[in-house]
Structures are given as C-alpha cells and as structure tokens.
Amino acid sequence: MSHALSALDHAIRGDPDGLSFIERTASIYVLDAATTPGHPTTYGWWNFLNDALNDVERYESEEWRRRSQQQQQRYQSYNNLDAHVRLLATVTRRVARRPPSSDRRLVGTCLANASTSHMNLLASADMAQSLLNRNAELRERNMGRIAAIVFDFSFHRRNGCGGGNAAVRHDEQRYPPPPRSSAFSDPAAMEQFCGVVAANAVSTGPRSLRHLVSDWVLPAVDSLPPLAVAAIMSHVAAECAGRGRPAGIGDAMSSLVPYVLRRALGPILIDSLRESDGRGEDDAHMAEAAATAGGNIIVGGAGGGGAGGNIEHRTAALALRALESWCEANSIGAVKLRSIFSATNINILEAIADALYSNAEILIDAVSDLIETLLRYDARDANVTLGISIAGSVMSEHILPMAQAGGGGIVADQLLLARQVAAEGEKSRISILSELVSAVGLQRFRFAERQSNGDTAVCRCLARTAAGVLLGSQDVIKDGTLQVSTDGLLDLLFKAASHPSVYVCGIAVEALATIAPSNGNLSTRLLPYLQGKAIIPFHLVGDANGSLEDYVNFRDRVLADALIACYKGCSTFYLESCGSAIQEFCQASLSPHLPYQLEAALFCMIAVSERASKTPNEQVLCGQLERMILALEKNSFTTTSHVLVMSKMCRFISEYAACFLSCESETVFDKASELVIASFDRDLNQYKGRGRLASATGTSPLSEASNALKQLFECSTQSPAECSTFTARSGLERAWRTPYTNQQIDITVEDREMLCSGLCSVIISLAPQQWIPSLDALTQPILSCLNVITKEAHQITSNSGNARQRESDVAPIINRLSNEIRLLTAVVTCFIQADVTKNSSGESKAQLVLFRHNALVSLLHKSWPCLTHIAEKYCSYEAIASSIGRILSASLSLSEDEEPLLIEITGLAKTSLSTIVKAKNPASLIPLLTFMQHFINMHGSKIELNPRNNAIHEDVQIVAKNLMLMAYQGVRNDVTQGVASPMFDTLSSCAKQCPLFLLILSRDSQPDGEVIRSSIEAAPATMKSNETDVVLSSTRFLKELASSLSSISLEALDEDQQLTIKPIVDRIKYSIQTDAIITCVGLTLGISPPEVLDPLTDLIRLILTFSQWPDIEPSVSAAINCSQFQLGDEAKSVVFEALKRSTMSEYIAANFGTMISDMWNMHQSDDTGSIAGGEAVSDFVQR
C-alpha cells in the first residue's frame, strides 16, 4: 500500500501511531523544505486527501486489472477499501468545516514556527503568499474531485455488487450498471462525501452556499443523482445549524428554502416513492453499510421491511430527512410547508402520507421525525395565534371606542388584519391535522399485518407516528374542532399498546396516557390494556438475557405513569376494576399464570396509592380496600404464597396502611396486619428458595413485610394488641436472630436493615422505660457476633505464612464485620428517625425525646469498646472504614448539646484515622472525611477561633485540629482522584463554618496556614481534573473560601493572632486573584463539564466582587489571550471589558452568567477553528 492508504489502514486497526498521524494531519500543517530544495511546500490534510484519492483510484484500477487477468467473475465485488474511504470521508468532513480563513491561519502558524530554521527560504513575502495560495487551490481542487465523485451516477448503485441493476436518474433515464464496484460507491462513504460538499459550502460563507445551491445543484437537479442531491441538502441544513456557522448563513438559507423544497426535495421525494413501489426486496450489503454508518443520516435498524432498503428507499428517506432538517432550521410547520408547495402541482402532505405505506424502516422512521417537527412548529404557531386572539379581545375594548371617535384607526386595522391572518393559519392547521389523523388512522390495518409478520421495526415507526399525531392534535380534539373522527388513530394506538414489544407498547401508552386524564371514556377503555400489560409475561420468568429487566423497567416507569393518568380519568371504575380482579384471582383455581395475574392487580393498586389515598371519594376507596383485604385473607396463601405476590401484597398494605383505619369494618386493619405477619413468617421459612425472579424484580417479602408493619404501627393511634405486643414483635425478633442461630439462612443485609426499621417501630410503641432493655436485646446478637468474629480475624491475621492467602481468608470475615457494624448503625438511625409522638404512654414529647436520647447513648457506651478495638485493628480495610464512618455520622446528632459524648465520638474517629494513615490506604479515608464534614457543619461554631470558644470549647478545638491534621497527612501520603473530592468538601465546610480555624491550621514545626496554603495551591490543578466530582468540590472550596475572606473580621482576635492571620489572608487573596482566576476563566472556554459551569460562574463573580481591577487585570488578560479562546479578537475585547466593569461597579450585570454560558457553549464546537467570525460570535458581541 502507498503511504496514504497505509496510514489509513493503521488508523482503522487502532494503531496509536496511525491514529495520531491522522489526527495531527487534520489539525496542523508542516513545512517540507527537504523534498525539493529551494522550493518549500506545506503539507496538511488537503495534501493527504489528494494523495489518498489518487491511491484509492490506483489501487482499485490495479486490483481490477489483476482480477481480469485471472479471468475471475467480472462483477465480483471487493470491498477491502470501504473502511479506508469511510474514514477518509469522515475526517475530511470535519476538516471541511474549517473555513478558508482558519486554513490560512494554520498555514501562517506553520510558516511562523518554521521561520527560525528556514529564515532564508521564508524571508520573501511572495513565497509565503504563494504557499497560502497553493493550499487554497489544493482545497478547491479536492472539493472539485469530491463533487465529481458525489455526482457520478456510476457510484450510486442499487445493490451490494457492481452490476445487475441500473442506477435511476431523476428524469427516469436509466444508465447501465457500472463495470465494477468501487469503495467510493459505499453508501456510508458516499453520504459522508456529500457531507463534505455541504460542509465546505457552509464554512466558506453565504456566497459559497448560494453558489452551490443556486448555481450548481438546482439548475442541474434533473441530471444529477437524486440521492446525492437529497444528501447534500440534508447536510447543508445540518451544517447551517452548527454553532460556528459563518455570519449571514442563516439569512442565505432562509432565502433558499422555497427553491430547495419546490425544485429539489419535493420532486425527489415524489419520484423516489413512486420508483420504490413494488421494490421491497432488501439489500443485505446496504443494510450492513447503514448499520455501520455510525452517525450518518441513513441508519437502518433491525427488523423487517428492509432495514437498509434499495436505493429508492434510501433516496426517499434522505429526502424526508432533508425536508425535516430544512423545516427545523427555518421553523417551518405543516401549514407553512403546504403554503410553500401551493404554487406547484405537488401535494407534499399527500406524499408524506404515502411514505407511511412503505415497509422500509428507514423511510417510515424519517416520516415520523418529519411529522413530529412539523406538528411541533404548528403548535408553536398556534400558541402565537392564541396570544393574538387574547390580545385582540383585550385591546378591542379600548381601541374600538377610539376608532369610532376618529382616533386609533390604524391600530385597529392592524389588529384586525393580524387576527384574520391568525385565524386563517389556525383553520389551515385544523385542516392539516384532520388529514393526518385520517391518513395515519388508515395505517391500523397495515399495523396488524406487519405485526403478524413479526415486523417490529415498522410497528414501532407506525406507533411513533400515530403518537406524534395524537399529541400534536390533542388541543383540537379537546375543543371539538377536529374535522374527522379519531377512531382509526386511537385503534392503531390501542393495537400498539397491546404489542408484545415493550418499546412499541411504551410509545403508544405514553401518548394515550397524555390524553387519558381529561377523557373518561378513553381512560375506561385504556385501563384493561394497562392491566394486561402489568402481568409479567410467562416466557420472561426464566429469562437470563436482560429481557426481564427491560420489562420491569418498562412497568415501573412507563406503565406506572400511565396507570396514574388512567386513574385521574376514571378513579371509581379503576378501583372497582382492580377490586374485582383481586377478588377473582383470589377465588380462582390455582394455575401457573394465576400468581402473576394477582401480582399485576396489586401492582395496579400500588401505582396509584399516593393519589388514591388522598382521594375525596374515601367511601369508594375504603369499600374496595375492604373487599381486597377480605379476598386476600380468604385465599389462605393458595395463590398469595408466591414470592412476588407476597411482596406486592405487603407493599400494597404498606401503601394503604393509613386508609385501613377509615374502613367501615374495624377488622380490616387487623386482617391486614395478620396478612403481613403471615407473609413475614412464610418468606423467612422459604428464604433460600426465592430464585432468580425475585432478585431480578427486586422482590423481598421480608423487607416489604417489615416496612408494612412499620407503617401499620405508625398509622395506628391505638396499635392492635396482636400486632404491637406479641405476634409482630416475636416474628420480627425471630427473623432478626435467624442469621445468628441458623447459618444456613443467609438473610441479606438490606433485608436485615428493613427488619431493624420494623423492630424500632415496635420498640418505640412500648413504654419508654422499656426502650433501654429492648435496644439492648436488639443489639446483643450484633455485639456478641462482633466479638466472636473479631477473634477469628485476629487468629487469621496473626498467623505467619503467605500474605496473599491471609488476605483471602480474612476477606469474608471483614465483610461480615462491616455488615454487623452497618446493622448497628441501622439501629441508631432507625431509632433516631422513629416518631416518638406515636407512643401512647402519656409522656410529653420532650420527655420522650429525652428517653430516646438516653437509650441511644446507653447503647453507644456499650458498643464503643468493641468498635474501638475493630477500628484500631481493621480500619485500614475500606469496608470497615465505611461502616465506622456511617455509625460515627449517625451518632453525631446525639452530641449536639453533650460535649463529653462528642469527645467520645471524635475519639473513635481519631483511632480510625490513625489506623488508616499508618496503612496509607487513601480509599479508606473517604468515609472518615465524610464524617468530618458532618462534624464541622454541626459543631463549626464551637471550633471557630474566638475568645469565648477558646475558653469554653477548647477540647473540641483540639480534637478538630487533630482530626484535620491527620486527614491532611493521610491525603498528602497518597493523593488520588477519589480522595481529593471529599477532602475539598471537608475544607469547604471549614471555610464556611470556621474560617479562622482553617487559616492558621498547620502541623507542628510547620508555618501557620500550612494546610490552607497547600490546599489553595492544589485547587487550580484539581479543577482541571476529568472527574466532575473533583472539579465541583474544588470549585466549591474556592467559592466558600472567597466568600469567607470577603466578610471575615479579625477584630475579635488578639493582636498576635491578627499579625499571624493577616499575611495568610493576603497570600490567599493573591493566589485566588492569579492562579484561581486564570483557571476559572480558562475552564469557561468549553473545558469544564456542564455541571460545573454554574458554580464556576458564581466563583468568578465572587472573585470579581472583592477584587480591584489592577490586582486581577494581568491574570484576566493571560486567561483570555490563550490559544484556547477561539471567539476572535472582537469577542476578546467584549469579555475583557465585561470582566473589568464587574470589578468597578457595586453590582455585577444580570447577564454576566449568560455571557459565561454563551462562551462555554460556543467552545463546544469541534476543533475546526470555525467559531470566530460566525453568526453566534456576532450575536454574542452585539449583546
């Protein structure tokens, strides 16, 4: 292979050197002064493209000659260069987006860089200009070659091989098949080359665009390949929508719209649709090419009806895509589109409707996109019409009397004219919507036909089209102005709603759900479809390929929302239907499908629980709930013993727990409680046999039953004796102790946490005097287990031998230790969150809160020795550190007014940090840093330096200092991306709550302010991280620090402290006004992640507020004058002046944030250098 093809081949194979060569050649120019001494030349992408095109033509010619000599089949296809040409076309399109002015700048940069070593060659201005002109000529010559390829009929083949079918011209003339196949005729490459032609015309400017469209394409449209014309027009619209489009391109495109649509796209669409009639056969090669085309416009999906399609299908699809792109770019709806074609004999809406009858997915998908775009802009125009109508009604009351009195006549006439125009537009819109509703409704017969053939792709496209039309016409359907019946359209959507594919079904269900709340009849009709879809398909029960997860996701999101919408439209019917279903399924004879049907009925009730429980029609709801509970009770777990049914039943009871108390029968609440307890016991007994279905659906009857019991306790003012005193408590306690007494039943930690929540609700309902012994009984198994497992871990870790084997042996023990500490945390958290007002002992709320505090403190005191030992020995393990960090954070809320307890808590944190720092494991630092954030946020006022705190809270200040310095040392040992974010968050908390404490924080023998100095130096570097969390945290730190510095007061400190802190503050301000502001402004030039832009803007605004312009002017100038700023010199001046004004005025302009956002958005273009001088930059400068 030649050098060009070799470079492409290496890049295709993923070779780093090959990829780097392609990237560099597309981005820069180099000077070649050695090949021809005395006659230097530049080498860039246009040179490489010229070589590559020559090499492809030469290679294919030699290959064809070789094959002919071997007397092989004449039309045998060889596609080994297809990938090379695709890559060549893709990169060329990117480079073509670079305007000629940017090319000249890049060549100028190349000559400037080379002038130091080739001064004698480049001293002449004529030589430099000659090189610039030669590069521009080469670009034009390459564009001419690509245009010749694009408009060559021989490269627009019908099928994968070179012969067999004739290419069809727009004027019906047929050409003979090409003598051989070429990589240039590959559909993906051809489309990219069409994009090259379009990109070059747009980037060169409006004059070039008009020249291409008006002088070349439109006059010769009848003699050019239709597919090429459609593709170029589609890409022209796409390129014109780019951020960096040159100034004037928008106006040029608007002026070309009627001509392009009437003379090119409309006729091409009509003819290609006519030619495609009867030609539904697929082209395997085209399908494969389209599937691998990546971001190309023609991308066929899997499914029937010709995913790739023949050339007429692809041409029609491209014409539709081009129509959609031009309409999108020029805000054209169906009304305006029909008006544009009114002067021709083309009924464009009829052509669009005809395209729906195709079986090619690419074609119907394009129709759907076009219809959605047209209806969206029609809806926007309809809103304008409504606004004009309202304004006319309001103003007519004032203008009409003025007109009658001889004044205001012109205004009255203008208002009348505007209302007439708006009325005509609305009339046309209603007429078009009526045509579309009728045309799409007729597709219901074909939908059934394609579904019977298994053509899911076409069904999806038809459903999408019908959904778009229904949503676009919903306002005229509601007000009754639609001129046709919607029966056909709704029939199609209901057929789609029952389609087995969740993707087809989801499209229809979402559309119908939008209309359902305001249409009771539609809701009543839709509900049975939704109830049927809620049943887990039997064939998915044992599926292991992800289909079950897809269905569960569909049901939990799309179907649940549709059920809520349906309930809004027919709440009474909804409840009665679900009640009848649950009653019927509970009474029916057991069958394999019955549990899934009952589970679906319960799911339907759960989906609307939030709205139903607040319904004004309480009598209907309570009546149906009583009916359901009685039916479930009478079933005696014949059907409800299924794991899914038990889980849903407990969830159902949990959601409606408060409503059971309002039922007419007082036994409903008791029966619901009994069902929950029975489900709890059953699941505990069959815990190991749940199977994959339970895990795939996230089903856990044990957790759901625990939560249901908790809700029942909290909702009952007088807890039923059977639930609160013995049965529920004994059942929960038995399950709680099971993992400790029966090692064969390994209940997950998540289920055990939910059990803990239920037990805490039971305990909180007891007399307060029983809380301490009850918590002791609850945590006794945990503490005993921790002691036993700690000894096992010590035996393993103290053994000599293979270190890797020790780590392997101790891993499960460490995991068990972590889980047990996690459960201890759950006890503390759940008891803190338990609602003490539900206790019926008669004690006041304040007394109950005190009882709870004392009970938890007693628990912590008993737990602390064991936890301290574990932290000292094993906190270097990330799992242990995570669990210790959780229980420390949970315990903090108890220490708000109890300093001795706070000292104990922070003592455990100190022990943990000491172990972690010694082990040099930064990942284990993260949970402790999170604890420190909570600690500082809660007790920062005690930590802050002031005479009062220094006397009263000295112990807290010492502890805080020790913890911060230990964390600082741990981070310094091994700075990683993972630990940087929580460390900066901790520093942010200090900067906000106790800034003076942070300013002088330093290790012994180190100068004051060591920590803050080091942090302020590291922040600008971490702001450039590729991890969003790290950037956000470091930005927040600088923001909090700058905010504190702008309001800090040193007057409360003594003279020595002031002398210590003032130079630190001055140094920090200097760093913020130099490195920080440079980094911040640089990040707004398209570098920062989008999530960081708002806090970054706030930080810049804050720095400008407390800074004087002379202090930051050099830094701002350096940031804006960097190579990353691509908006041009005029935009630089605007940004520079805006930042300068912000420091010189008391208030920063309200549009400051918009300016930063616009800068960031404009720099999101690719690296073609085409932003400066574009329309977006011109608008930015003017604003």
Side-chain angles (χ1 to χ4, degrees):
M1 284 187 176
S2 64
H3 81 93
L5 286 182
S6 179
L8 290 170
D9 190 67
H10 280 82
I12 289 169
R13 298 178 189 279
D15 177 60
D17 291 337
L19 291 169
S20 175
F21 175 81
I22 295 296
E23 182 65 26
R24 289 174 61 81
T25 305
S27 305
I28 63 172
Y29 285 85
V30 295
L31 184 72
D32 178 11
T35 303
T36 308
H39 298 280
T41 61
T42 57
Y43 192 90
W45 184 259
W46 302 121
N47 306 81
F48 179 81
L49 175 63
N50 185 66
D51 294 343
L53 293 175
N54 291 336
D55 290 345
V56 171
E57 292 175 352
R58 185 183 306 110
Y59 180 89
E60 291 186 342
S61 177
E62 292 174 356
E63 180 70 9
W64 177 251
R65 187 180 303 109
R66 184 181 64 80
R67 289 172 179 261
S68 298
Q69 292 172 354
Q70 295 175 357
Q71 296 182 348
Q72 294 191 5
Q73 183 178 352
R74 183 179 183 187
Y75 297 132
Q76 180 175 351
S77 174
Y78 54 96
N79 298 313
N80 54 330
L81 290 186
D82 283 2
H84 301 72
V85 175
R86 289 181 193 177
L87 176 60
L88 183 69
T90 301
V91 179
T92 302
R93 183 177 180 180
R94 196 185 91 189
V95 178
R97 293 193 180 111
R98 192 163 63 210
S101 58
S102 294
D103 259 352
R104 287 194 294 272
R105 282 197 296 270
L106 288 176
V107 175
T109 301
C110 166
L111 299 180
N113 293 337
S115 60
T116 55
S117 56
H118 299 87
M119 183 71 72
N120 59 327
L121 294 176
L122 301 175
S124 170
D126 292 339
M127 174 67 74
Q129 187 61 45
S130 172
L131 293 175
L132 290 170
N133 293 339
R134 198 179 306 165
N135 184 70
E137 291 171 3
L138 183 59
R139 173 173 180 158
E140 289 299 319
R141 187 161 64 248
N142 279 318
M143 285 302 134
R145 293 185 68 178
I146 292 174
I149 292 171
V150 164
F151 293 129
D152 188 339
F153 272 98
S154 65
F155 293 131
H156 292 272
R157 59 195 180 192
R158 182 185 304 281
N159 53 24
C161 58
N165 283 312
V168 182
R169 273 180 42 173
H170 178 54
D171 59 359
E172 303 291 337
Q173 181 179 354
R174 296 180 179 273
Y175 277 64
R180 60 183 180 271
S181 175
S182 169
F184 293 125
S185 60
D186 171 71
M190 177 56 68
E191 189 187 330
Q192 285 288 10
F193 277 130
C194 291
V196 170
V197 174
N200 181 70
V202 172
S203 65
T204 306
R207 182 176 179 181
S208 175
L209 176 61
R210 287 193 177 94
H211 178 67
L212 171 69
V213 176
S214 300
D215 299 341
W216 280 93
V217 176
L218 294 183
V221 68
D222 291 336
S223 58
L224 297 176
L227 189 144
V229 174
I232 288 174
M233 292 306 158
S234 179
H235 287 298
V236 162
E239 297 294 336
C240 287
R243 293 187 182 94
R245 68 182 188 181
I249 281 292
D251 293 337
M253 189 180 186
S254 298
S255 66
L256 293 170
V257 168
Y259 306 105
V260 170
L261 267 56
R262 288 197 293 245
R263 295 177 57 184
L265 298 181
I268 288 174
L269 176 62
I270 296 292
D271 290 348
S272 57
L273 287 175
R274 183 172 59 248
E275 289 295 329
S276 67
D277 289 345
R279 292 196 183 105
E281 67 275 4
D282 296 343
D283 186 334
H285 179 82
M286 299 296 185
E288 179 186 356
T292 57
N296 294 337
I297 287 180
I298 306 179
V299 181
N310 55 34
I311 195 169
E312 286 84 8
H313 286 151
R314 295 192 296 114
T315 303
L318 265 176
L320 289 166
R321 295 287 186 198
L323 269 174
E324 192 248 336
S325 298
W326 281 77
C327 291
E328 179 75 51
N330 294 278
S331 304
I332 296 174
V335 175
K336 291 181 181 178
L337 184 64
R338 186 162 70 174
S339 175
I340 289 174
F341 282 93
S342 60
T344 69
N345 60 352
I346 296 175
N347 187 335
I348 190 64
L349 297 180
E350 183 179 316
I352 293 172
D354 287 345
L356 288 172
Y357 286 93
S358 173
N359 288 333
E361 181 190 352
I362 55 169
L363 213 163
I364 309 180
D365 214 26
V367 173
S368 298
D369 288 340
L370 175 58
I371 290 176
E372 285 180 7
T373 299
L374 296 176
L375 294 182
R376 184 173 72 252
Y377 284 109
D378 275 345
R380 192 189 69 174
D381 294 342
N383 291 333
V384 174
T385 300
L386 180 61
I388 293 174
S389 177
I390 294 173
S393 301
V394 173
M395 296 177 64
S396 60
E397 299 178 3
H398 304 282
I399 295 176
L400 189 58
M402 293 173 57
Q404 291 173 347
I410 296 176
V411 177
D413 291 342
Q414 291 176 343
L415 180 60
L416 179 62
L417 178 61
R419 294 179 67 177
Q420 289 175 346
V421 171
E424 286 298 320
E426 182 63 12
K427 183 178 178 181
S428 297
R429 174 174 172 263
I430 294 172
S431 173
I432 290 170
L433 285 173
S434 299
E435 290 181 30
L436 286 174
V437 167
S438 178
V440 176
L442 291 173
Q443 296 296 316
R444 64 188 184 277
F445 305 110
R446 219 163 63 81
F447 184 94
E449 173 200 341
R450 302 314 303 175
Q451 182 177 347
S452 64
N453 292 338
D455 197 344
T456 301
V458 172
C459 289
R460 177 186 59 81
C461 294
L462 290 175
R464 186 168 155 236
T465 304
V469 171
L470 178 67
L471 296 177
S473 57
Q474 58 180 311
D475 58 327
V476 295
I477 293 175
K478 290 177 182 178
D479 61 27
T481 55
L482 192 68
Q483 300 167 358
V484 297
S485 171
T486 59
D487 291 348
L489 182 66
L490 292 177
D491 282 348
L492 194 159
L493 286 170
F494 276 107
K495 289 179 185 295
S498 61
H499 195 280
S501 168
V502 294
Y503 302 106
V504 178
C505 173
I507 293 170
V509 165
E510 286 183 329
L512 291 169
T514 306
I515 309 296
S518 59
N519 191 322
N521 292 332
L522 180 64
S523 298
T524 304
R525 181 182 176 187
L526 178 60
L527 181 58
Y529 286 85
L530 301 182
Q531 290 172 326
K533 276 294 173 181
I535 302 172
I536 297 177
F538 202 66
H539 67 276
L540 294 181
V541 171
D543 177 78
N545 298 319
S547 298
L548 179 59
E549 285 77 5
D550 288 345
Y551 171 79
V552 171
N553 184 56
F554 157 77
R555 191 172 76 159
D556 290 343
R557 298 188 179 189
V558 178
L559 203 59
D561 290 343
L563 286 166
I564 294 171
C566 209
Y567 179 84
K568 293 177 183 178
C570 58
S571 57
T572 301
F573 175 76
Y574 189 105
L575 294 173
E576 291 175 350
S577 176
C578 289
S580 298
I582 291 174
Q583 187 176 48
E584 177 185 346
F585 296 144
C586 285
Q587 294 173 354
S589 301
L590 185 62
S591 69
H593 296 272
L594 190 60
Y596 303 102
Q597 295 169 329
L598 179 55
E599 189 265 353
L602 291 168
F603 171 84
C604 292
M605 283 300 298
I606 294 168
V608 300
S609 59
E610 183 177 355
R611 175 168 290 272
S613 59
K614 300 174 183 178
T615 180
N617 196 354
E618 187 177 284
Q619 185 177 358
V620 175
L621 174 63
C622 290
Q624 294 303 323
L625 288 177
E626 183 174 349
R627 180 185 182 188
M628 296 173 194
I629 291 295
L630 291 175
L632 291 167
E633 184 205 26
K634 290 179 180 178
N635 184 262
S636 300
F637 286 96
T638 303
T639 305
T640 53
S641 61
H642 192 281
V643 61
L644 292 181
V645 179
M646 281 198 299
S647 180
K648 280 295 183 292
M649 180 175 66
C650 293
R651 178 75 180 278
F652 162 70
I653 293 173
S654 172
E655 296 291 340
Y656 290 96
C659 300
F660 294 135
L661 293 171
S662 302
C663 292
E664 185 176 345
S665 173
E666 296 180 357
T667 62
V668 173
F669 191 93
D670 295 342
K671 293 181 183 299
S673 302
E674 292 169 4
L675 283 170
V676 171
I677 295 171
S679 299
F680 187 93
D681 290 337
R682 279 184 170 271
D683 188 53
L684 186 59
N685 293 330
Q686 63 184 34
Y687 194 87
K688 292 184 65 177
R690 284 182 175 180
R692 185 186 168 279
L693 181 62
S695 60
T697 56
T699 297
S700 175
L702 200 65
S703 287
E704 295 292 355
S706 301
N707 187 55
L709 283 174
K710 176 183 175 182
Q711 298 302 323
L712 289 168
F713 283 125
E714 292 179 354
C715 292
S716 175
T717 55
Q718 293 181 347
S719 301
E722 186 175 1
C723 286
S724 63
T725 58
F726 180 73
T727 310
R729 183 176 180 179
S730 62
L732 288 167
E733 288 178 349
R734 184 167 65 88
W736 178 257
R737 292 180 179 274
T738 294
Y740 304 102
T741 58
N742 187 348
Q743 299 296 323
Q744 300 300 316
I745 301 179
D746 185 18
I747 300 177
T748 65
V749 68
E750 292 79 12
D751 282 345
R752 295 168 72 190
E753 284 178 322
M754 192 59 71
L755 280 171
C756 176
S757 177
L759 280 165
C760 286
S761 296
V762 173
I763 294 172
I764 209 72
S765 69
L766 303 176
Q769 293 76 13
Q770 298 182 38
W771 288 356
I772 290 180
S774 296
L775 284 181
D776 288 345
L778 180 62
T779 56
Q780 184 273 328
I782 298 176
L783 297 178
S784 298
C785 181
L786 286 174
N787 288 322
V788 171
I789 298 177
T790 303
K791 293 177 181 178
E792 293 180 11
H794 179 68
Q795 290 176 356
I796 294 175
T797 55
S798 60
N799 288 338
S800 59
N802 188 286
R804 181 176 296 180
Q805 183 62 41
R806 285 201 308 270
E807 288 297 315
S808 175
D809 293 341
V810 83
I813 296 178
I814 294 296
N815 185 59
R816 180 67 187 272
L817 276 174
S818 172
N819 286 341
E820 294 302 320
I821 299 173
R822 180 174 166 180
L823 291 175
L824 193 61
T825 306
V827 173
V828 175
T829 304
C830 292
F831 206 68
I832 289 174
Q833 295 173 349
D835 188 356
V836 294
T837 61
K838 297 298 182 180
N839 186 279
S840 58
S841 64
E843 303 281 359
S844 67
K845 182 177 180 180
Q847 289 175 317
L848 291 171
V849 170
L850 182 58
F851 273 116
R852 179 173 62 185
H853 178 272
N854 293 337
L856 287 170
V857 170
S858 173
L859 168 63
L860 291 177
H861 283 156
K862 294 169 184 174
S863 307
W864 235 239
C866 180
L867 293 176
T868 302
H869 177 71
I870 293 172
E872 185 178 347
K873 294 293 184 180
Y874 306 111
C875 209
S876 58
Y877 292 94
E878 190 175 347
I880 299 296
S882 178
S883 296
I884 292 290
R886 287 183 182 183
I887 197 166
L888 287 170
S889 298
S891 305
L892 266 180
S893 61
L894 302 171
S895 67
E896 190 168 357
D897 300 315
E898 192 169 334
E899 200 160 297
L901 178 61
L902 177 62
I903 299 301
E904 287 188 48
I905 294 172
T906 52
L908 177 58
K910 182 179 177 181
T911 301
S912 303
L913 276 172
S914 177
T915 304
I916 294 170
V917 172
K918 289 178 182 177
K920 297 183 179 181
N921 183 6
S924 298
L925 267 176
I926 297 173
L928 272 299
L929 289 171
T930 303
F931 157 74
M932 291 176 61
Q933 293 168 40
H934 297 315
F935 165 54
I936 293 166
N937 288 331
M938 181 174 291
H939 297 284
S941 60
K942 301 173 185 176
I943 300 170
E944 181 62 323
L945 299 181
N946 61 59
R948 181 177 180 275
N949 282 350
N950 297 346
I952 301 175
H953 304 298
E954 183 179 4
D955 291 342
V956 178
Q957 291 178 338
I958 293 173
V959 166
K961 178 180 178 180
N962 291 334
L963 290 177
M964 284 297 299
L965 291 178
M966 291 177 71
Y968 173 70
Q969 181 62 44
V971 173
R972 280 176 59 89
N973 287 342
D974 190 0
V975 180
T976 62
Q977 294 275 16
V979 80
S981 178
M983 186 62 197
F984 275 116
D985 285 338
T986 305
L987 292 169
S988 297
S989 297
C990 288
K992 183 177 182 179
Q993 302 294 340
C994 45
L996 294 176
F997 165 79
L998 177 62
L999 289 178
I1000 65 169
L1001 190 63
S1002 61
R1003 294 174 295 173
D1004 294 339
S1005 73
Q1006 295 295 326
D1008 290 327
E1010 175 203 6
V1011 173
I1012 192 65
R1013 290 173 190 268
S1014 175
S1015 303
I1016 203 74
E1017 291 172 2
T1022 55
M1023 290 175 70
K1024 299 175 183 177
S1025 167
N1026 55 3
E1027 296 290 336
T1028 301
D1029 289 344
V1030 176
V1031 182
L1032 278 172
S1033 59
S1034 53
T1035 303
R1036 280 194 297 264
F1037 163 63
L1038 289 176
K1039 179 184 172 184
E1040 293 295 347
L1041 186 61
S1043 179
S1044 296
L1045 291 179
S1046 62
S1047 60
I1048 199 170
S1049 175
L1050 304 180
E1051 296 177 359
L1053 304 178
D1054 58 41
E1055 186 175 352
D1056 290 340
Q1057 288 178 323
Q1058 291 183 26
L1059 292 175
T1060 300
I1061 291 177
K1062 191 176 185 306
I1064 299 174
V1065 171
D1066 292 340
R1067 175 61 187 173
I1068 292 172
K1069 285 186 175 181
Y1070 176 77
S1071 297
I1072 290 177
Q1073 292 170 343
T1074 52
D1075 295 341
I1077 190 69
I1078 290 174
T1079 302
C1080 289
V1081 174
L1083 289 173
T1084 63
L1085 306 180
I1087 299 175
S1088 73
E1091 300 88 346
V1092 182
L1093 194 59
D1094 286 342
L1096 200 62
T1097 303
D1098 293 339
L1099 175 57
I1100 296 173
R1101 187 185 283 116
L1102 198 57
I1103 296 174
L1104 295 175
T1105 300
F1106 76 77
S1107 299
Q1108 299 296 319
W1109 178 244
D1111 295 335
I1112 64 172
E1113 180 180 5
S1115 302
V1116 171
S1117 178
I1120 293 177
N1121 288 306
C1122 67
S1123 60
Q1124 187 64 33
F1125 194 97
Q1126 299 181 15
L1127 306 185
D1129 294 337
E1130 195 173 0
K1132 280 184 183 179
S1133 300
V1134 169
V1135 174
F1136 191 81
E1137 287 300 317
L1139 295 175
K1140 181 178 180 180
R1141 285 196 305 270
S1142 298
T1143 61
M1144 295 181 173
S1145 60
E1146 186 176 354
Y1147 300 102
I1148 294 179
N1151 65 346
F1152 181 82
T1154 304
M1155 180 189 77
I1156 298 295
S1157 177
D1158 289 344
M1159 285 171 55
W1160 186 88
N1161 282 319
M1162 286 187 290
H1163 280 91
Q1164 295 309 301
S1165 301
D1166 58 23
D1167 59 350
T1168 58
S1170 61
I1171 307 174
E1175 279 190 359
V1177 174
S1178 298
D1179 293 341
F1180 174 81
V1181 170
Q1182 291 173 6
R1183 292 199 302 270

